[in-house]
Amino acid sequence: MSQTRHRPQVAIICGSGLGMLADTLKCQDSFAYSDIPGFPQSTVQGHAGRLVFGELKGKTCVCMQGRFHMYEGHSLCKTTFPVRVFKLLGVETLIVTNAAGSLADGLQPGDIMIIKDHVNFPGLVGLNPLSGPNDDKFGPRFPAMSGCYDKGLRCLALDIAKQQGVASLMQEGVYAMVGGPNFETIAEARLLHRLGVDAVGMSTAPEVVVATHCGLRVFGLSLITNKVVKSYEDSESVNHEGVLEVGRLRSNTVQQLVTELISRMEINNNNTINNAV
Ligand SMILES: O=P(O)(O)O[C@@H]1C[C@H](O)[C@@H](CO)O1
């Protein structure tokens, strides 16, 4: 904390190819993850590995330009460690973003899915960042997860999309986290589709679980970067370069949406280091 005068109210986690969200911050202080005690290193292309503090539309923000994934070999505690750091810094609202493949027929590459709910597949089989002794200072042993994606922020985002003329690109949906790093087989894609999953990715759910446990308000969005192949007749296949490319193509739209959301969200102005925890 002695290294920056910023006391963030809002934290943003940038998904694959979405690191440009940090560029919107003014009066930046930036730190390489390698210089932050306890932070793992980013190993994935499109995840720069920097924590950027700055101002945006009158709010103080901190932005993770690069997230940590379970498939990189980090424990789930390590992948979600920054979320607890944000809580301790006084952050109230977490914005999580990711790149995801669509299973829903109505979601095309380049669309933005506002996350309404998630299916945490690793969590369902016991791979949960909250496993182990509960730290009561952060939250309860058995936290509720219904309503973990704030309804007010979801409505606000849809409203902003209308005003910005991009409502046709945007809809709500259910995100599922799988472990990765391989993309889905066709049989897995069909299974996820039948289960009611709209988009699939390899992150986000553990961060949201930890954020909800410690009382952060959460907004999540998935940039749809590809359609998940569901047919044996389909010769297309997904790759990470293509995922990053869609991020580049949609950077302005995502930046404008997130900027306006931050500008219009209400904050309690409790931006001091969180001594309660
Ligand atoms: O960090 P996110 O969830 O945006 O990254 C997605 C999932 C994989 O890490 C990668 C696949 O292209 O993008």
Side-chain angles (χ1 to χ4, degrees), residues 15-16 47 67 69 71 98-99 183 202-203 240 243:
S16 286
H47 293 260
R67 65 146 55 81
H69 306 85
Y71 65 73
N98 60 55
F183 292 105
M202 306 174 194
S203 67
H240 188 57
V243 166

Side-chain angles (χ1 to χ4, degrees), residues 101-109 224-230 238:
S102 81
L103 295 146
D105 296 331
L107 278 172
Q108 304 303 326
I224 302 301
T225 53
N226 56 284
K227 293 210 64 116
V228 181
V229 178
K230 297 197 295 262
V238 55

Side-chain angles (χ1 to χ4, degrees), residues 21-38:
L21 284 169
D23 300 340
T24 50
L25 303 186
K26 310 274 182 269
C27 310
Q28 292 190 5
D29 284 332
S30 168
F31 304 92
Y33 291 164
S34 53
D35 293 334
I36 307 174

